Amino acid sequence: MTDEKPLFWIGRRRDDLKECPDEVMREIGYALDFSQRGGKHPNAKPLKGFGGASVLEIVEDNDGDTYRAVYTVKFPLAVYVLHVFQKKSKKGMATPKRDLDLIDERLKRAESHYQDWVGQARRTLP
């Protein structure tokens, strides 16, 4: 694997992760660490509706509850966490539309942040 990429959190995702049970936090943290090193956690799956494998999700079950973390590896120099949540609906496995809309909006924010971040880095290079 390659050098570790920085991890950016869009919104309060880090706080949302801290509200998950310890076992869920550890497993999601491990998956994010794996992605920062250029790998793909075995349980990471592309999130449908985002055109390919650049937006991934980790699904963790704990005591009958389901937790999800959605992140993107779309950018060559960074990983962005877009959404961490407990799936409340007991109907089916699909991600609710309101969550998909939120992920889409945060992906756009991540794209903007990434462009600004890369631009700043280029301006500071000798």
Side-chain angles (χ1 to χ4, degrees), residues 78-97:
V79 175
Y80 284 81
V81 181
L82 305 172
H83 195 27
V84 177
F85 62 105
Q86 179 181 355
K87 185 168 182 296
K88 304 275 186 189
S89 172
K90 302 297 181 193
K91 295 181 182 178
M93 294 176 50
T95 304
K97 182 176 179 348

Side-chain angles (χ1 to χ4, degrees), residues 1 28-42 71:
M1 292 193 214
I28 290 172
Y30 178 69
L32 293 173
D33 182 65
F34 213 80
S35 69
Q36 286 180 268
R37 297 174 192 281
K40 181 177 170 241
H41 188 277
Y71 60 99

Side-chain angles (χ1 to χ4, degrees), residues 18-36:
K18 289 178 181 177
E19 292 173 8
C20 293
D22 288 345
E23 185 177 314
V24 171
M25 244 190 334
R26 274 192 300 277
E27 197 59 34
I28 290 172
Y30 178 69
L32 293 173
D33 182 65
F34 213 80
S35 69
Q36 286 180 268

Side-chain angles (χ1 to χ4, degrees), residues 82-112:
L82 305 172
H83 195 27
V84 177
F85 62 105
Q86 179 181 355
K87 185 168 182 296
K88 304 275 186 189
S89 172
K90 302 297 181 193
K91 295 181 182 178
M93 294 176 50
T95 304
K97 182 176 179 348
R98 67 174 162 48
D99 289 304
L100 292 174
D101 290 344
L102 187 61
I103 292 164
D104 187 51
E105 182 267 323
R106 289 183 178 154
L107 181 58
K108 290 173 185 163
R109 286 175 48 199
E111 289 169 347
S112 177

